[in-house]
């Protein structure tokens, strides 16, 4: 089939490459000429495993091309995908300006029947508005249909996710468009959820909000574990074996970040308020997510007698999660900002995200290092902020010998507590009892539970 994909961000670029790989003729469209030139030369604007090869292979097979011209790009396409960004607006709602302007341009250039597919994450009712805008701007009296086909790709595994998706959601209001979509996804074995436009739009938000809720829930359980003397990883394992709960998204940590969860949870909350519904649970999900990093920093602060001034804190991780260079809404960066604000000198390292972070964090009181060992040199404390596999595999004996201090604050529960404690580290994780007992603060109960099960009175 002939496809046009407007927007070459994560969803658009990965979508274009995978659709082409399935044998379709695909044109990616973006207003940014430099970006398109980069992509065509195999230099991807995002770090995504396997993407460069997939793009280049399909360009040479003549199934994939790119252009900056929307009229030219959509001319011969049977299906036109809208994959532009919907960033968070000041009031929490999704900013739909790019979607509206693309819809207008599509309308102005439509000269035969096409299916217009909205893949961008958009609030309930947007697809209907897209339809109206296209109609209002038609220069020719042609028919068209609008389909909602939200994407569930995760950064870092998006190619695999698209090829082996759990489900494909198709919101439609015309049988003709549905037939086109069924043909497009005919090679996919997992279920096609065929539904009305509004339900399709909500499936995307409800899914992301539910996953965010799962993370905030386990983070609350982690706080309770620290007070109760339990281990959140053991609790999560025990819960996850129940098939109704499932073992995914139960890793306690510093909270969720990234370009989707924070934005989508806020947008769904805004939608519900606009519809005069107080979605209390979502409000708590956001609050818990924020509190999680505050509690983590408090732990660091208390362990240094409430004074971080002049201390050197080595921070491993800048990306919002592993296997990406994306720092959008990165909890690692937000946490570093708080620690720096408390007067500590920061050293940082990330396998992919250093360049992006430099623009965001700046250079004040931050030293960017080339590898994890340089990062920990002479540090008073080590903070693990992103769940990179590389940080798990470091030689912690060497880390110990390079550091000045011996405190590790594992914000992602990456390390094996017994092993690092044997090396002489004071280890503080999330939702486990630490061997560093001097951090009990006024917000903790009068008694804290020691690892051997005894109780110690708060100092
Ligand atoms: C997410 C959704 O998973 C995807 O379906 C949607 O299309 C876009 O948003 P992504 O933003 O790439 O994908 O990241 P994801 O892997 O879902 O992780 C989101 C955040 O949650 C990260 O900050 C991660 O560190 C955190 N997380 C994830 C946890 O803290 N604990 C977990 O158990 C899982």
């Amino acid at each position: 089939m002939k496809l046009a994909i407007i927007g070459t961000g994560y969803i658009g670029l990965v979508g274009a490459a995978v659709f082409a790989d399935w044998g379709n003729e695909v044109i990616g469209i973006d207003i940014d000429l430099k970006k398109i030139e980069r992509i065509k030369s195999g230099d991807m604007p995002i770090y995504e495993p396997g993407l460069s090869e997939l793009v280049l292979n399909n360009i040479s097979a003549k199934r994939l091309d790119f252009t900056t011209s929307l009229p030219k790009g959509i001319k011969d396409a049977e299906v036109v995908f809208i994959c532009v960004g919907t960033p968070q607006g000041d009031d929490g709602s999704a900013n739909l300006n790019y979607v509206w302007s693309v819809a207008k341009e599509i309308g102005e250039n439509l000269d035969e029947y096409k299916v217009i597919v909205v893949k961008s994450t958009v609030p309930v009712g947007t697809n209907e508005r897209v339809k109206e805008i296209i109609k209002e701007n038609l220069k020719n009296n042609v028919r068209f249909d609008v389909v909602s086909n939200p994407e569930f790709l995760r950064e870092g595994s998006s190619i695999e996710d698209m090829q082996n998706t759990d489900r494909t959601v198709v919101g439609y209001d015309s049988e003709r468009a549905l037939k086109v979509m069924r043909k497009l996804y005919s090679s996919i074995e997992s279920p096609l959820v065929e539904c009305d436009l509004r339900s399709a739009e909500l499936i995307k938000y409800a899914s992301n909000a539910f996953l965010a809720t799962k993370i905030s829930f386990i983070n609350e359980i982690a706080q309770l574990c620290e007070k109760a003397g339990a281990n959140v990883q053991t609790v999560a394992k025990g819960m996850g074996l129940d098939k109704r709960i499932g073992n995914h998204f139960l890793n306690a940590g510093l909270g969720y970040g990234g370009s989707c969860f924070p934005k989508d949870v806020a947008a769904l909350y805004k939608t519900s308020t606009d519809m005069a519904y107080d979605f209390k649970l979502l409000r708590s999900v956001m609050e818990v997510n924020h509190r999680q990093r505050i509690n983590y920093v408090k732990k660091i602060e208390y362990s240094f007698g409430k004074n971080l001034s002049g201390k050197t804190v080595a921070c491993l991780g800048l990306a919002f999660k592993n296997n990406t260079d994306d720092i959008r809404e990165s909890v690692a960066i937000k946490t570093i900002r708080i620690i720096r604000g408390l007067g500590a000198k920061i050293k940082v390292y990330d396998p992919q995200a250093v360049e992006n972070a430099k623009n965001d964090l700046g250079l004040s009181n931050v030293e960017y290092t080339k590898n994890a060992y340089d990062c920990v040199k002479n540090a008073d404390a080590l903070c693990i902020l992103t769940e990179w596999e590389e940080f798990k595999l470091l030689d912690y004996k060497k880390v110990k010998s390079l550091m000045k201090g011996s405190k590790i604050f594992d914000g992602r529960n990456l390390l094996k507590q017994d092993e690092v404690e044997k090396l002489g580290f004071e280890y503080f994780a999330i939702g486990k009892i630490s061997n560093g007992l001097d951090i009990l603060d006024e917000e903790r109960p009068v008694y804290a539970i020691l690892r051997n099960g005894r109780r110690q009175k708060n100092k």
Side-chain angles (χ1 to χ4, degrees):
M1 293 173 79
K2 290 189 173 179
L3 315 177
I5 300 199
I6 306 171
T8 57
Y10 250 101
I11 304 290
L13 188 51
V14 172
V18 174
F19 277 133
D21 211 51
W22 289 350
N24 299 292
E25 258 180 68
V26 183
I27 296 208
I29 306 165
D30 204 294
I31 43 171
D32 187 341
L33 176 63
K34 274 199 189 132
K35 195 173 175 188
I36 284 195
E37 282 170 349
R38 270 184 74 177
I39 295 170
K40 277 179 149 179
S41 72
D43 175 19
M44 296 300 118
I46 46 172
Y47 169 79
E48 189 64 30
L51 185 59
S52 179
E53 295 80 353
L54 201 67
V55 166
L56 290 179
N57 286 347
N58 283 285
I59 289 178
S60 35
K62 304 227 170 309
R63 286 189 297 259
L64 181 59
D65 201 358
F66 294 89
T67 177
T68 51
S69 162
L70 187 142
K72 198 176 128 201
I74 69 166
K75 184 146 190 25
D76 297 322
E78 301 163 71
V79 186
V80 177
F81 289 90
I82 301 180
C83 299
V84 293
T86 53
Q88 189 172 336
D90 293 338
D91 61 354
S93 63
N95 177 341
L96 298 170
N97 289 345
Y98 296 127
V99 176
W100 304 147
S101 89
V102 162
K104 181 170 176 281
E105 213 179 337
I106 292 174
E108 289 164 353
N109 289 283
L110 215 59
D111 55 8
E112 61 179 349
Y113 176 81
K114 294 185 197 306
V115 178
I116 315 300
V117 179
V118 179
K119 261 203 183 295
S120 305
T121 300
V122 292
V124 169
T126 305
N127 277 266
E128 288 159 19
R129 183 69 194 124
V130 164
K131 202 169 172 179
E132 283 168 10
I133 294 178
I134 296 177
K135 214 174 197 168
E136 286 159 14
N137 287 281
L138 284 179
K139 297 240 161 67
N140 302 299
N141 187 20
V142 285
R143 280 208 55 202
F144 70 93
D145 283 310
V146 171
V147 162
S148 166
N149 176 215
E151 205 45 75
F152 301 94
L153 308 182
R154 288 165 304 171
E155 292 184 19
S157 56
S158 56
I159 295 172
E160 161 88 9
D161 283 354
M162 188 160 164
Q163 277 159 343
N164 299 307
T165 180
D166 290 338
R167 80 309 207 180
T168 302
V169 175
V170 175
Y172 70 101
D173 62 2
S174 123
E175 288 296 328
R176 185 175 178 186
L178 179 62
K179 270 191 197 140
V180 173
M181 296 307 284
R182 281 184 181 158
K183 187 174 159 203
L184 180 66
Y185 287 112
S186 56
S187 62
I188 294 280
E189 281 169 13
S190 55
L192 213 61
V193 181
E194 301 171 354
C195 59
D196 62 281
L197 290 170
R198 289 185 166 231
S199 299
E201 290 166 329
L202 254 184
I203 288 172
K204 167 73 191 202
Y205 278 103
S207 303
N208 273 0
F210 185 77
L211 292 169
T213 304
K214 228 176 156 183
I215 297 171
S216 278
F217 183 84
I218 201 67
N219 282 336
E220 287 276 69
I221 295 292
Q223 296 299 329
L224 196 58
C225 283
E226 286 181 25
K227 291 184 188 296
N231 181 323
V232 72
Q233 284 175 306
T234 312
V235 174
K237 190 174 171 200
M239 287 168 64
L241 285 169
D242 184 329
K243 287 192 188 70
R244 294 168 304 173
I245 297 172
N247 58 8
H248 298 286
F249 277 74
L250 284 179
N251 294 321
L254 292 171
Y256 58 79
S259 65
C260 293
F261 283 177
K263 161 176 91 74
D264 293 350
V265 175
L268 185 59
Y269 184 67
K270 179 71 174 54
T271 299
S272 62
T273 337
D274 289 348
M275 293 179 175
Y277 182 69
D278 181 15
F279 202 147
K280 286 188 179 149
L281 183 59
L282 273 193
R283 200 152 20 103
S284 298
V285 168
M286 293 187 278
E287 277 168 19
V288 168
N289 198 51
H290 180 253
R291 196 173 62 185
Q292 197 64 9
R293 60 177 171 271
I294 305 292
N295 285 343
Y296 174 79
V297 175
K298 264 192 191 161
K299 231 184 235 183
I300 305 171
E301 232 193 328
Y302 278 97
S303 82
F304 283 105
K306 295 194 186 174
N307 185 7
L308 281 181
S309 177
K311 296 281 181 252
T312 300
V313 179
C315 296
L316 293 181
L318 293 161
F320 86 90
K321 66 170 190 181
N322 59 330
N323 293 336
T324 179
D325 64 352
D326 197 340
I327 55 153
R328 284 176 291 174
E329 292 296 315
S330 164
V331 179
I333 293 203
K334 287 176 199 271
T335 306
I336 291 171
R337 282 187 189 285
I338 309 174
I339 303 172
R340 178 172 66 177
L342 292 169
K345 181 180 173 297
I346 308 289
K347 291 180 81 181
V348 293
Y349 168 70
D350 186 283
Q352 290 294 336
V354 169
E355 287 313 312
N356 286 341
K358 275 184 187 167
N359 298 327
D360 191 283
L361 261 182
L363 298 172
S364 161
N365 250 343
V366 185
E367 182 186 337
Y368 296 89
T369 61
K370 289 204 163 47
N371 60 54
Y373 296 113
D374 276 352
C375 183
V376 302
K377 229 176 253 170
N378 295 324
D380 294 292
L382 164 59
C383 293
I384 299 177
L385 303 176
T386 307
E387 60 272 44
W388 284 99
E389 187 73 8
E390 179 182 326
F391 302 154
K392 226 189 240 184
L393 304 174
L394 293 175
D395 174 354
Y396 278 89
K397 203 171 169 189
K398 185 171 167 186
V399 170
K400 179 85 184 24
S401 69
L402 289 168
M403 283 176 64
K404 190 158 82 186
S406 59
K407 295 182 203 297
I408 296 182
F409 297 90
D410 186 351
R412 297 291 182 171
N413 285 350
L414 276 194
L415 308 185
K416 291 211 168 80
Q417 180 158 7
D418 288 351
E419 287 177 14
V420 283
E421 282 177 359
K422 254 188 226 148
L423 294 171
F425 283 106
E426 279 178 272
Y427 181 71
F428 304 93
I430 307 283
K432 299 179 194 182
I433 305 169
S434 309
N435 64 351
L437 298 166
D438 53 337
I439 56 156
L440 310 173
D441 64 70
E442 64 264 23
E443 287 187 12
R444 286 173 184 257
V446 177
Y447 291 97
I449 299 162
L450 305 188
R451 287 188 72 198
N452 59 15
R454 282 187 294 115
R455 283 168 178 262
Q456 173 181 286
K457 206 167 188 180
N458 225 345
K459 288 173 194 162

